[in-house]
Amino acid sequence: MAAATPSVESAGNRARSSAALDFLKAGPKKLLIGGKWVAAKSGKTFETLNPATEEVLGLVGEGDKADVDEAVKAARKAFEEGQWSKIGPHQRARYLFKIADLIEQHADELAELETLDNGKAKTQALAIDVAGAAETFRYYGGWCSKIYGETNPSDPSMFNYTLREPVGVCGQIIPWNFPLLMASWKLGPALACGNTVILKPAEQTPITALRLGELILEAELPDGVVNIITGFGPGAGSSISEHPDIDKVAFTGSAEVGKIILKASAGNLKRVSLELGGKSPNIIFPDADLEQAVPGSMMGVFFNSGQVCCAGTRIFVQKEVYEKFNEQLTKFSAGMTMGDGLDPKTMMGPLVSKEQFDKVKGYLELGKKEGARVTVGGEAGSGKGYFVKPTVFADVNNNMRIAREEIFGPVAATIPFKDENDAVLQGNDTTYGLAAAVWTRDVGRAHKVARALKAGTVWVNCYNMLDPISPFGGYKQSGFGRELGRHALELYTNIKSVYVKL
Ligand code: NAP
Ligand code: MG
């Protein structure tokens, strides 16, 4: 593969943080296995790009089955020897707090690396991705000492209690939309419970996970507790999901790959948790405060260029306020500043890759063909970079493909509805069930609709609120298992029941 150095120079020249530049210039990135950085056994590397400029940021090791095998051996050894699973909870907590502190100390550098690799606005990377990653590690650090078993009222001749034990070696496969944050959602609870991990970042955005790997070594976690294998889905990813000595796989990404992973897990019946896509309904009643609902709904769909699994892409608006809402949404959306994520004025960066860019452009054409009305956007940006303008399709029918399929780009569909019942019926008429929102000043209606919506998260008069304290996950084909909150501990522990004859 072509040497990336000249482009790294120019990509790096855009970087404002010298630390980010140093990391990118340090040469091809390696895999983290057993506490050491090693080249992929095949010697292969692949390029990662800056989607705002299409320049190569750097070369990254292309791990495959042979490397996953090594990583599993290292993770198994670390797990069985107990230098992580059997240390005291306060000690394990200190490691997680240290990782959180290191993320904060390197916040600017990490945000810049995230922006360069993924395209997102740096202001948002700093405030949401990096801050959220630190908070997630800190939150799960707090759990280390609070993972309790129970004593049970068994027969008086017996003493019965339960132990919560780590599952073992965990494979974690993550997507490109929130690379560092997704790594923290996966690593935080797995590590808190005493597991060891093989993490596979997305091929489009491996950079911050690798920098996090360095910080994890700086925090002096024992060798083999966290292994990072960069590479492709078929290869690195499939070797994880098929591996006979991996006890659990956690996956975030497309429903299509989620199904492949679930099938692959049957080999050794490893546990699986899946956080897949969505086509989330965002319901606006006429009594909603439009001053809040319009910008809230706009960011609900355009945040992170629409590359958000819980994006509120189907905006249902009651007929009485449909035109007014559309007008205001169109006006606000036209005012969104799109540009290079490093520019502090940027509200929306490019899409992550050429593939995603082509896919989203395809949906823009499809929406027009299906008869939806473009009120703003509807086309790509000009010049270099994978930019697509914030787009609103009005007069959408819930049966159109643009209302049924996950687009994963800055494309909103507004759909009129008659009454509360109609809103709930249409809102639930989807194969997905990740999130939903309702905007109304009527407290009773808000709670009633929140109950009626089949989604893992429901927001009332807000959108995209996430906090490590609260569970996140899907109904229906949005997956199963709950990440975040104490519920994630269920994913990463086994329960053992012990009977003692008295
Ligand atoms: P994807 O293929 O599902 O990628 C997610 C992760 O799975 C990546 O690390 C990927 O590796 C890995 N992977 C791919 N094939 C695999 C396999 N056979 N076995 C094991 N792991 C595998 O998602 P994508 O192709 O990047 O994006 C496609 C669509 O998925 C998007 O347009 C969007 O609709 C949806 N998506 C959803 C989320 C979410 O948060 N729920 C996130 C991203 C994308 P590679 O990086 O090498 O492909
Ligand atoms: Mg990239």
Side-chain angles (χ1 to χ4, degrees):
M1 201 160 276
T5 319
S7 340
V8 171
E9 288 285 350
S10 60
N13 288 341
R14 309 180 69 79
R16 295 182 169 90
S17 143
S18 59
L21 185 52
D22 288 348
F23 182 70
L24 292 172
K25 279 181 156 179
K29 298 288 164 248
K30 296 183 172 172
L31 318 176
L32 179 59
I33 300 180
K36 303 206 168 38
W37 293 103
V38 295
K41 276 182 188 285
S42 66
K44 287 190 194 162
T45 56
F46 63 97
E47 293 173 339
T48 186
L49 307 178
N50 176 350
T53 62
E54 305 176 34
E55 289 168 320
V56 178
L57 272 183
L59 294 180
V60 178
E62 187 191 322
D64 60 21
K65 182 172 183 310
D67 307 290
V68 169
D69 284 344
E70 286 304 309
V72 173
K73 269 187 221 153
R76 175 60 61 193
K77 180 167 182 287
F79 183 75
E80 299 302 338
E81 288 179 354
Q83 60 276 54
W84 184 254
S85 54
K86 298 206 174 85
I87 60 173
H90 300 299
Q91 202 185 344
R92 204 181 303 134
R94 275 197 293 273
Y95 285 107
L96 294 191
F97 294 145
K98 178 79 182 163
I99 297 172
D101 290 345
L102 285 168
I103 290 174
E104 279 171 352
Q105 282 162 28
H106 297 273
D108 189 69
E109 175 195 351
L110 286 164
E112 188 136 329
L113 289 172
E114 202 73 303
T115 293
L116 289 168
D117 206 16
N118 163 284
K120 64 178 66 203
K122 184 178 167 188
T123 49
Q124 293 169 9
L126 199 56
I128 293 158
D129 302 62
V130 177
E135 222 54 276
T136 304
F137 277 107
R138 197 165 283 127
Y139 172 78
Y140 282 106
W143 269 113
C144 294
S145 53
K146 296 161 199 76
I147 301 172
Y148 297 105
E150 302 148 326
T151 57
N152 299 321
S154 179
D155 182 286
S157 68
M158 288 284 165
F159 173 46
N160 175 247
Y161 63 93
T162 58
L163 294 171
R164 255 185 198 277
E165 298 181 338
V167 171
V169 175
C170 300
Q172 305 189 313
I173 302 174
I174 56 173
W176 40 257
N177 50 349
F178 294 91
L180 182 70
L181 190 63
M182 287 300 109
S184 75
W185 282 27
K186 296 283 184 279
L187 290 171
L191 295 177
C193 295
N195 299 280
T196 59
V197 172
I198 295 109
L199 177 76
K200 191 202 97 60
E203 66 186 67
Q204 297 85 349
T205 57
I207 294 295
T208 46
L210 294 169
R211 185 67 184 105
L212 176 65
E214 290 188 346
L215 298 178
I216 285 171
L217 293 188
E218 201 175 322
E220 298 183 334
L221 268 75
D223 292 348
V225 171
V226 175
N227 305 275
I228 302 176
I229 303 288
T230 46
F232 300 128
S238 56
S239 306
I240 289 174
S241 52
E242 288 162 9
H243 206 288
D245 201 30
I246 289 183
D247 301 297
K248 186 220 155 36
V249 166
F251 170 77
T252 299
S254 60
E256 184 194 347
V257 174
K259 289 174 190 176
I260 296 174
I261 285 176
L262 191 56
K263 279 194 193 132
S265 72
N268 70 336
L269 289 175
K270 57 174 69 66
R271 291 170 162 215
V272 179
S273 50
L274 301 174
E275 199 270 271
L276 310 174
K279 197 73 196 176
S280 298
N282 178 23
I283 301 173
I284 321 286
F285 286 103
D287 66 346
D289 176 357
L290 289 194
E291 274 184 33
Q292 305 270 330
V294 172
S297 303
M298 181 185 82
M299 287 317 283
V301 60
F302 297 145
F303 170 58
N304 213 37
S305 306
Q307 303 166 121
V308 180
C309 48
C310 52
T313 44
R314 290 184 302 143
I315 306 179
F316 292 95
V317 189
Q318 195 158 332
K319 281 188 175 137
E320 292 83 329
V321 285
Y322 186 75
E323 280 313 323
K324 186 172 170 197
F325 182 90
N326 267 324
E327 266 166 38
Q328 293 189 19
L329 181 67
T330 301
K331 194 171 116 228
F332 268 90
S333 306
M336 276 199 90
T337 338
M338 184 172 77
D340 189 320
L342 291 179
D343 185 335
K345 290 195 296 294
T346 293
M347 292 168 77
M348 209 183 84
L351 297 178
V352 74
S353 64
K354 169 95 171 52
E355 193 186 354
Q356 202 59 25
F357 177 71
D358 289 340
K359 178 180 162 186
V360 174
K361 275 197 310 181
Y363 276 108
L364 296 181
E365 291 320 306
L366 178 68
K368 292 171 200 165
K369 269 198 214 118
E370 287 185 301
R373 169 167 59 103
V374 175
T375 69
V376 63
E379 58 185 12
S382 53
K384 281 260 172 217
Y386 306 125
F387 293 94
V388 170
K389 293 184 183 167
T391 297
V392 176
F393 277 118
D395 302 340
V396 176
N397 174 313
N398 198 40
N399 293 321
M400 290 180 184
R401 279 180 58 201
I402 56 163
R404 304 208 75 81
E405 297 172 18
E406 188 174 46
I407 299 176
F408 234 60
V411 184
T414 68
I415 307 173
F417 69 86
K418 268 200 323 272
D419 54 20
E420 188 179 309
N421 191 39
D422 184 33
V424 169
L425 280 176
Q426 291 203 66
N428 284 337
D429 181 10
T430 164
T431 55
Y432 292 110
L434 191 57
V438 47
W439 300 78
T440 175
R441 287 183 171 113
D442 179 336
V443 176
R445 174 149 71 187
H447 288 287
K448 241 167 58 194
V449 174
R451 285 187 188 185
L453 289 167
K454 294 188 173 117
T457 298
V458 178
W459 291 291
V460 177
N461 295 334
C462 59
Y463 209 96
N464 277 340
M465 291 303 301
L466 289 170
D467 187 316
I469 63 161
S470 191
F472 185 78
Y475 282 39
K476 300 193 268 184
Q477 291 192 36
S478 291
F480 48 79
R482 290 292 177 271
E483 299 195 298
L484 301 184
R486 72 180 165 78
H487 301 82
L489 307 174
E490 307 286 337
L491 304 180
Y492 292 101
T493 50
N494 272 324
I495 299 176
K496 179 182 280 175
S497 176
V498 182
Y499 286 91
V500 182
K501 177 120 179 61
L502 301 177

